[in-house]
Amino acid sequence: MSIEALTEADDGPRSKRPAILAAAVECFGEVGYEATKWSEVADRVGIGQTALYHYFESKAHCLLTIMRLGLRNSDAAFREATAGAPSSSHALRAAVEAAYALSPQEVQQNRILQSNIALLANERASRREETERQACRELVAQVEHNWAELLERGMAAGEFPRRDPQMMARSLLGLVVGVWRWYRPGGPLELRTISDFITGCCVRMVAGREPDAG
Amino acid sequence: MSIEALTEADDGPRSKRPAILAAAVECFGEVGYEATKWSEVADRVGIGQTALYHYFESKAHCLLTIMRLGLRNSDAAFREATAGAPSSSHALRAAVEAAYALSPQEVQQNRILQSNIALLANERASRREETERQACRELVAQVEHNWAELLERGMAAGEFPRRDPQMMARSLLGLVVGVWRWYRPGGPLELRTISDFITGCCVRMVAGREPDAG
DNA sequence: AATCAAACTGAACTCAGCTCAGTTTTGAGC
DNA sequence: GCTCAAAACTGAGCTGAGTTCAGTTTGATT
């Protein structure tokens, strides 16, 4: 299991933060945030329950951190994938493919993000949780902005028909991340197959002209 | 607030079940399932906390009931909307439009369904909860089947290019229900505007031919 | 060895969800 | 009007996951 997707700069060498996050991703991904016992996470890491509070203010704080890191990775992956694209159509394809170029652990992380996105709507009582929440909201806005900007460029270049870029960005994102609701690693469908299929859908949605009503 | 979307045949005239469900929809929709106190629901209905257990086995049982009724309504709306459609293209448009022809309360209900869909993945400990979960899963499968069948008909008739109907059905559903993640009644965008936009996206996705790479 | 911060622990607290044992309300049938 | 059963409801108390606290251990540095 790759640990770097859950590591941050300010983690010391003795820190169990990444290990806790990895264990929490497993638990939250398998049985859901609410159903996982916080103590189960501690057991998997091999520490007492109270040691968790050395690293996280609460179970929710841990979840919000997982979500923020997932969003951070999505943002970075988008930028890297679309950086040198020769056209907006190529950039669009690259962006969708990048969204599915993930390890099983990162898939879990994305499912968790998707399942608990509603958590970002309401204010949090504690300061550290609220800080993470705000960071998540900004990253969500950033990711939406990335897609909207790609679309705007394509429309300006005449590659894509003119349509509301923000709504289109949100629709694309809904289509792309909606997959995490039903995809399971090891299931009947390969991620590669899904990626190709969704890429086609996105391209038709964005670049396609309205066919005549039949 | 319409109450019929939350009523069932076996509710007697004195039953507060629909009222509890309506209050729960408000609470769960506003602050989320986890953050709402079960006692807050009781307060809104005007009964003691323990009276809730006369109608529901648990808070989760109430949530699962809300989800099942939402799915039941979606299934019914799809059938009604597509029943007399002269072509698969018309049926597709009608199905998408029907998915957005909802009262604000039903919008909340759909948001709740969407937010807690992961709850359906894992078995429930108690029998009544498990029964509701199974019913939800069957309805989800039914709704997916409805869409897939519509697509298959259109492909057989030559209206839509041949593509995997199940994946396409799931993609359409992801696109359609993804809206509930960001749409809020009273927000800047009218539901009618969103409905038209998403309808266009769906039609291009399903009926559109792959444009040449640009 | 002394020191200090990071890492950790066991016991106890909190409070939302829930159980239980019993009471009140309602409507149908005499 | 009275009886009775079922539905509707209640207050007191239990339960357990999340959390706090006061103190201990570990390990790198000097």
Side-chain angles (χ1 to χ4, degrees):
Chain A
M1 170 187 304
S2 112
I3 213 83
E4 67 197 37
L6 295 168
T7 307
E8 289 190 280
D10 56 343
D11 287 325
R14 283 202 293 156
S15 174
K16 294 224 173 71
R17 258 177 78 98
I20 292 168
L21 287 166
V25 165
E26 274 183 31
C27 292
F28 295 167
E30 279 164 22
V31 302
Y33 168 71
E34 219 214 338
T36 70
K37 290 173 195 162
W38 201 204
S39 60
E40 166 69 17
V41 175
D43 287 348
R44 290 206 189 190
V45 179
I47 56 177
Q49 306 178 35
T50 52
L52 294 170
Y53 293 90
H54 182 68
Y55 299 98
F56 298 102
E57 198 176 7
S58 63
K59 191 182 163 189
H61 180 219
C62 177
L63 172 62
L64 286 162
T65 303
I66 289 169
M67 292 171 71
R68 176 175 56 75
L69 293 175
L71 287 162
R72 180 200 66 176
N73 295 347
S74 294
D75 181 40
F78 183 99
R79 289 167 194 278
E80 201 186 340
T82 58
S87 74
S88 294
S89 296
H90 282 96
L92 177 60
R93 290 190 132 88
V96 177
E97 273 159 29
Y100 294 109
L102 302 174
S103 70
Q105 188 209 23
E106 288 169 307
V107 169
Q108 289 276 59
Q109 200 171 350
N110 272 279
R111 193 208 320 295
I112 293 165
L113 175 58
Q114 167 73 358
S115 294
N116 299 284
I117 199 87
L119 197 71
L120 304 181
N122 294 96
E123 203 177 341
R124 301 257 93 205
S126 85
R127 188 154 24 75
R128 289 171 75 192
E129 283 180 25
E130 180 62 14
T131 303
E132 289 287 8
R133 187 182 76 98
Q134 292 294 353
C136 284
R137 288 172 67 91
E138 274 163 37
L139 280 164
V140 167
Q142 180 61 53
V143 169
E144 274 185 15
H145 177 75
N146 290 342
W147 287 86
E149 196 175 50
L150 187 160
L151 293 168
E152 270 168 5
R153 287 228 184 89
M155 292 176 200
E159 290 184 70
F160 306 146
R162 287 213 169 274
R163 295 187 186 98
D164 183 283
Q166 198 193 11
M167 246 201 288
M168 187 59 86
R170 284 177 170 170
S171 300
L172 284 175
L173 272 167
L175 182 57
V176 169
V177 305
V179 166
W180 306 128
R181 237 181 300 113
W182 52 269
Y183 169 74
R184 288 285 185 290
L189 280 163
E190 288 294 321
L191 200 46
R192 179 77 230 173
T193 313
I194 295 169
S195 174
D196 290 345
F197 185 91
I198 299 288
T199 302
C201 288
C202 288
V203 169
R204 291 195 297 281
M205 243 176 75
V206 170
R209 305 273 162 186
E210 204 85 5
D212 297 334
Chain B
M1 170 184 306
S2 112
I3 215 84
E4 67 196 36
L6 295 169
T7 307
E8 288 190 279
D10 57 342
D11 287 325
R14 285 200 291 155
S15 173
K16 294 223 173 74
R17 259 177 78 97
I20 292 169
L21 287 167
V25 165
E26 275 183 32
C27 291
F28 295 167
E30 279 164 22
V31 303
Y33 168 71
E34 219 214 337
T36 71
K37 290 174 196 161
W38 202 206
S39 61
E40 166 69 17
V41 175
D43 288 348
R44 290 206 190 190
V45 178
I47 57 178
Q49 305 177 34
T50 51
L52 293 171
Y53 293 90
H54 182 68
Y55 298 99
F56 298 101
E57 197 176 6
S58 64
K59 190 181 161 189
H61 181 219
C62 177
L63 173 62
L64 286 163
T65 303
I66 289 170
M67 292 170 71
R68 177 175 57 76
L69 294 174
L71 286 162
R72 181 200 66 176
N73 294 346
S74 293
D75 181 40
F78 183 99
R79 289 165 194 278
E80 200 186 343
T82 58
S87 74
S88 294
S89 297
H90 282 96
L92 178 62
R93 290 190 132 89
V96 178
E97 273 159 29
Y100 294 110
L102 302 174
S103 70
Q105 189 211 23
E106 288 169 307
V107 169
Q108 289 276 60
Q109 200 172 349
N110 272 279
R111 195 208 319 295
I112 293 166
L113 175 59
Q114 167 74 359
S115 294
N116 299 285
I117 199 88
L119 196 70
L120 304 182
N122 295 96
E123 202 178 340
R124 301 259 94 205
S126 85
R127 189 156 22 78
R128 291 171 75 190
E129 283 179 25
E130 180 62 13
T131 303
E132 289 287 9
R133 186 183 78 98
Q134 292 294 354
C136 284
R137 287 172 68 90
E138 275 164 36
L139 281 164
V140 167
Q142 181 61 53
V143 168
E144 274 185 16
H145 177 75
N146 290 342
W147 286 86
E149 197 174 50
L150 187 159
L151 293 168
E152 270 168 5
R153 288 227 184 89
M155 291 177 200
E159 288 184 70
F160 308 146
R162 287 213 169 274
R163 294 186 187 99
D164 183 282
Q166 197 192 11
M167 246 203 287
M168 186 60 85
R170 284 177 170 169
S171 300
L172 283 175
L173 272 167
L175 182 57
V176 168
V177 306
V179 166
W180 307 129
R181 238 182 300 111
W182 52 267
Y183 169 75
R184 287 286 184 290
L189 278 165
E190 289 294 322
L191 201 46
R192 179 76 229 172
T193 313
I194 295 170
S195 174
D196 290 344
F197 185 90
I198 298 288
T199 302
C201 288
C202 288
V203 169
R204 291 196 297 282
M205 244 174 73
V206 171
R209 304 272 161 187
E210 205 84 2
D212 298 334

